[in-house]
Amino acid sequence: MIPADITNENRYLGELVPKICRYAGLGGLALLVASVVLGWAGEAGWERLLRSYLVAFFFVLSLSLGGLFFVLLQHLTRAGWSVVVRRIAEGLADNLKWLWIPFIPILVAVWTGHLYDWADPSRLSDAERALFQHKEPFLTPWFWTIRAAVYFGVWAWLARFFVNRSVQQDATGDPQATARMQSVAAPGMILYAFTQTFAAVDWIMTLEFAWYSTMFGVYFFAASTCGAFAAMIIIFYLLQRSGRLTNVITTEHYHDLGKLLFAFGVVFWAYIAYSQYMLIWYANIQEETIWFVIRQLGGWKTMSIFLILGHFAGPFLILISRYPKRWKGVLAIGAAWMLGVHFIDLYWLVMPAIPAELIQSVTTYSQLVTEFEASYLPEYDLHWRVLDLTCLLGVLGVFVAMAAWSMRNRSLVPERDPRLDESLAFENY
Amino acid sequence: MNDSSTTAAPTDRPGAAPPAIPREPGEVIGKLYGLLAEFETPAAIMVAAHRVREAGYKWWDCHTPFPVHGLDKAMGIRPTILPWLVMGAGLTGAVTGVVLQWYTNATNFDAWLIVPITGYDFLVSGKPMWSLPANIPVIFELTVLFSAIGCVAMMLFLSKLPWLYHPCLKNERFRRATDDRFFIVIEARDPLFYRRKSQEFLKSLGATAVEALEA
């Protein structure tokens, strides 16, 4: 097979940029306004709006972080095959430069004592206070804000470093840029691992401050790679449908992205999720198991089983074979499915709340189940709201528009990367 | 050379080994194994492999110093059935894991597995006797173990390995297969194999040398 000649290809988003910005960006902003109105006027209320917003924010954050991970990984391993797909991952990671802006509502929520129980310790019961005592120095709004600033600082710096050098290389063709990125990739990966882990702990795990899992950072990492690889497959599919990079991205590249999605998003995710579950289930410590107990009640139970089947078993059986990964349409549908279940996974992490009074009033598991179903079901059960959808589509719309805007003058492939030819000629064996 | 009495005179002494007969490179004295054709570039062997396949040969192979991308396709090699065998091995491992743990930890009846055995229901930290979460690690590990061992064993079996000896290795020229030369070997057992015709055919593909291989 003769590798594609990139000069014959449509390598720019071009006239799509204003279109995407208009529809996705303005539509997204409109949906965000609608969400605020729904939160203000609807029965769900501000707390619910904040939680929905947190899920939506984490959804786009996971795409960006997954993209950054991909870029770091390719430089770290000096990968040749991935050069032609790297620019899209850079586009996802590039959004980390401004993602601190949509984080501001969460920051405001913490400083005004919302969303997180620890944000307003005066509301805690005596029993909760006893559990909170040891964590209080870590979970103060000040320290929490400083940490958040560090995470966003590190991410923005990493994204800036890798994206700018890669884009500059399009003009200069300087191979030293690649060498420099490779040498920064290793410490960059360590920084990424720490910030990503602590961010997941700070922003999702502390929703239930008494609960902890040492696996949680890895869990969010696995989830974010699932989102990013699925998003990349969909983006390439859509780009090729619109006549861009038609010969540059081949079946071979889809095959490898499919392998990564299978390995990280399906198998690794399940491995981590199960490891987390099994240790907590086995140790059987009350403040740990309650996090899973609440996810085994009412509608949450259905959702948990759905995640096992829809995020692991089904995709595992389909994606394990070589053929679906080499069949663009099927892989794109599979990726869209994975992106959907990734959202449900985040929803499942953030949404279920543990009614504190319930835990104090019961002594056995069967009592807890009966009591929950008798009196707490209407408030604490799984309820989808329009808010969830408007928040997600709103934030995602803005995210997509910003990604497209950042790509307005950039080629969709790293045009003068020293390994470009290797990537164009890449084949799987 | 025609006069054998001058070149290789048989010795009179009984029991002495006959002196070694000088052989041309690639000259066959024993049974013929096949023909070895040497090519200088990956591109040349790609084209040649495609033509050998089109000519209808079945018993032939390529030897290259490194994996040449696209050669499998040019040779028309069908995908291996190994993945399906590995899946079978993996499922066997999973079932073994389930049955093993269920029988040894959650039952108490007698059975016979070469020797008499008995189940031993054993309560661990108040968990149910049969509880899937606790058993998944062992099921997982046995699946991996059976798949890995099965994969290696069946790969060897399908490749008919180990071979203690291969006719190609007798050939001087073939040594460069690990360095900078690319070889095609057509075996004599191929129904289309005719010593002279096949030799001409390989030459016509641009082989820099064609030699016969001794079995």
Side-chain angles (χ1 to χ4, degrees):
Chain A
M1 199 176 63
I2 300 148
D5 177 5
I6 62 162
T7 51
N8 295 335
E9 293 284 328
N10 187 351
R11 317 189 295 284
Y12 292 88
L13 278 180
E15 81 282 356
L16 274 183
V17 174
K19 243 189 219 172
I20 293 173
C21 288
R22 197 175 317 131
Y23 290 113
L26 294 180
L29 286 175
L31 282 169
L32 282 178
V33 173
S35 308
V36 175
V37 173
L38 279 170
W40 172 63
E43 46 166 345
W46 290 115
E47 286 290 334
R48 178 54 191 253
L49 172 67
L50 279 170
R51 287 227 174 198
S52 291
Y53 183 78
L54 188 65
V55 177
F57 173 75
F58 254 86
F59 185 75
V60 296
L61 180 70
S62 70
L63 300 187
S64 276
L65 285 176
L68 180 63
F69 166 73
F70 183 81
V71 174
L72 285 167
L73 184 68
Q74 303 317 313
H75 287 304
L76 192 60
T77 55
R78 302 185 176 183
W81 74 271
S82 59
V83 170
V84 294
V85 295
R86 210 184 64 220
R87 183 55 54 78
I88 296 301
E90 286 168 359
L92 291 174
D94 205 27
N95 277 353
L96 286 168
K97 289 177 193 167
W98 59 268
L99 269 178
W100 57 272
I101 298 170
F103 185 71
I104 289 172
I106 297 162
L107 198 69
V108 172
V110 165
W111 280 93
T112 53
H114 290 94
L115 192 57
Y116 301 91
D117 288 339
W118 54 264
D120 184 7
S122 64
R123 282 189 308 187
L124 300 179
S125 67
D126 288 344
E128 285 177 310
R129 207 182 293 277
L131 289 170
F132 182 56
Q133 222 166 22
H134 300 292
K135 303 185 178 180
E136 199 164 5
F138 192 71
L139 293 177
T140 57
W142 265 113
F143 191 26
W144 188 85
T145 309
I146 291 168
R147 287 199 305 272
V150 171
Y151 309 150
F152 280 111
V154 168
W155 295 337
W157 180 76
L158 282 174
R160 203 182 134 80
F161 181 90
F162 285 97
V163 176
N164 287 7
R165 259 175 191 66
S166 176
V167 171
Q168 280 158 17
Q169 198 181 42
D170 283 358
T172 61
D174 179 15
Q176 282 306 314
T178 300
R180 181 97 184 96
M181 286 193 280
Q182 276 164 4
S183 60
V184 175
M189 191 64 109
I190 295 170
L191 279 177
Y192 168 83
F194 275 109
T195 49
Q196 189 272 139
T197 302
F198 276 90
V201 168
D202 270 6
W203 301 340
I204 303 184
M205 204 171 103
T206 62
L207 284 166
E208 303 292 345
F209 66 83
W211 183 74
Y212 55 90
S213 158
T214 45
M215 203 46 131
F216 199 78
V218 188
Y219 186 101
F220 177 63
F221 162 72
S224 66
T225 52
C226 171
F229 293 141
M232 281 169 72
I233 291 168
I234 295 167
I235 290 168
F236 284 119
Y237 184 74
L238 294 177
L239 282 177
Q240 291 199 308
R241 283 285 296 268
S242 77
R244 284 163 181 80
L245 306 181
T246 43
N247 297 315
V248 171
I249 309 294
T250 64
T251 308
E252 309 296 334
H253 300 113
Y254 280 101
H255 188 179
D256 263 23
L257 287 172
K259 283 184 215 164
L260 284 170
L261 177 63
F262 174 73
F264 280 96
V266 179
V267 179
F268 185 61
W269 174 87
Y271 185 73
I272 293 308
Y274 174 72
S275 304
Q276 176 174 279
Y277 175 80
M278 205 256 313
L279 290 178
I280 289 172
W281 171 84
Y282 223 120
N284 204 7
I285 299 168
Q286 196 196 352
E287 63 263 30
E288 288 186 4
T289 46
I290 190 67
W291 195 84
F292 281 109
V293 165
I294 205 76
R295 284 162 178 77
Q296 286 174 15
L297 296 171
W300 300 116
K301 183 180 187 176
T302 317
M303 196 181 243
S304 301
I305 293 168
F306 172 79
L307 278 176
I308 297 172
L309 299 177
H311 203 312
F312 171 63
F316 179 85
L317 291 176
I318 293 166
L319 281 178
I320 195 170
S321 168
R322 178 186 176 92
Y323 302 101
K325 285 182 287 216
R326 295 180 72 85
W327 188 355
K328 285 181 198 179
V330 170
L331 186 65
I333 292 168
W337 171 267
M338 289 312 291
L339 207 55
V341 289
H342 168 55
F343 170 71
I344 292 174
D345 181 32
L346 290 177
Y347 192 91
W348 180 86
L349 286 180
V350 171
M351 281 295 179
I354 300 166
E357 322 86 76
L358 170 66
I359 296 159
Q360 283 153 30
S361 66
V362 297
T363 47
T364 65
Y365 178 69
S366 51
Q367 252 182 6
L368 188 140
V369 176
T370 330
E371 186 67 14
F372 181 85
E373 282 171 358
S375 2
Y376 293 89
L377 215 51
E379 199 188 334
Y380 287 92
D381 199 9
L382 163 65
H383 295 295
W384 290 102
R385 300 230 187 258
V386 185
L387 257 184
D388 301 330
L389 200 65
T390 52
C391 273
L392 172 72
L393 295 179
V395 178
L396 188 63
V398 176
F399 181 85
V400 169
M402 288 298 284
W405 180 249
S406 74
M407 297 296 284
R408 68 194 179 281
N409 294 323
R410 289 177 195 166
S411 171
L412 295 168
V413 282
E415 300 194 339
R416 296 176 71 184
D417 190 287
R419 295 197 182 87
L420 180 68
D421 290 341
E422 184 186 342
S423 182
L424 287 169
F426 168 65
E427 281 186 62
N428 273 294
Y429 282 94
Chain B
M1 289 291 278
N2 292 332
D3 189 2
S4 62
S5 64
T6 55
T7 49
T11 170
D12 300 335
R13 280 181 291 131
I21 303 161
R23 284 161 61 176
E24 295 291 318
E27 186 187 340
V28 177
I29 291 175
K31 199 171 164 254
L32 184 71
Y33 172 75
L35 286 171
L36 176 81
E38 183 194 75
F39 296 89
E40 287 193 335
T41 61
I45 198 174
M46 281 280 269
V47 175
H50 192 75
R51 296 268 307 276
V52 173
R53 176 196 173 190
E54 280 189 333
Y57 287 99
K58 296 277 177 256
W59 291 92
W60 63 288
D61 205 354
C62 294
H63 304 269
T64 58
F66 49 81
V68 175
H69 286 182
L71 193 58
D72 287 19
K73 211 184 268 176
M75 291 174 70
I77 293 179
R78 278 167 300 154
T80 166
I81 60 158
L82 190 61
W84 295 100
L85 299 177
V86 175
M87 189 166 118
L91 288 174
T92 310
V95 171
T96 307
V98 173
V99 173
L100 175 77
Q101 293 178 93
W102 169 76
Y103 179 67
T104 53
N105 280 343
T107 66
N108 55 9
F109 61 85
D110 296 333
W112 185 267
L113 188 78
I114 307 170
V115 290
I117 52 171
T118 181
Y120 189 85
D121 43 359
F122 191 50
L123 188 68
V124 180
S125 66
K127 300 284 191 287
M129 291 290 182
W130 175 245
S131 185
L132 206 54
N135 297 320
I136 284 180
V138 173
I139 297 170
F140 172 74
E141 297 299 345
L142 282 181
T143 308
V144 174
L145 183 73
F146 275 55
S147 307
I149 293 177
C151 184
V152 173
M154 285 181 289
M155 179 273 289
L156 293 176
F157 176 77
L158 290 176
S159 323
K160 303 187 182 78
L161 287 170
W163 282 23
L164 299 177
Y165 144 80
H166 193 284
C168 284
L169 299 175
K170 277 189 188 172
N171 188 290
E172 280 285 318
R173 194 178 280 279
F174 187 73
R175 291 181 183 184
R176 290 180 78 174
T178 59
D179 183 12
D180 60 352
R181 287 294 186 274
F182 305 81
F183 295 93
I184 289 180
V185 173
I186 301 180
E187 293 180 31
R189 61 176 152 175
D190 193 293
L192 293 179
F193 184 90
Y194 294 100
R195 170 87 191 250
R196 204 139 293 153
K197 216 177 102 189
S198 300
Q199 182 149 0
E200 288 309 311
F201 172 64
L202 284 169
K203 279 242 172 70
S204 74
L205 299 180
T208 47
V210 180
E211 289 179 10
L213 291 172
E214 203 173 72

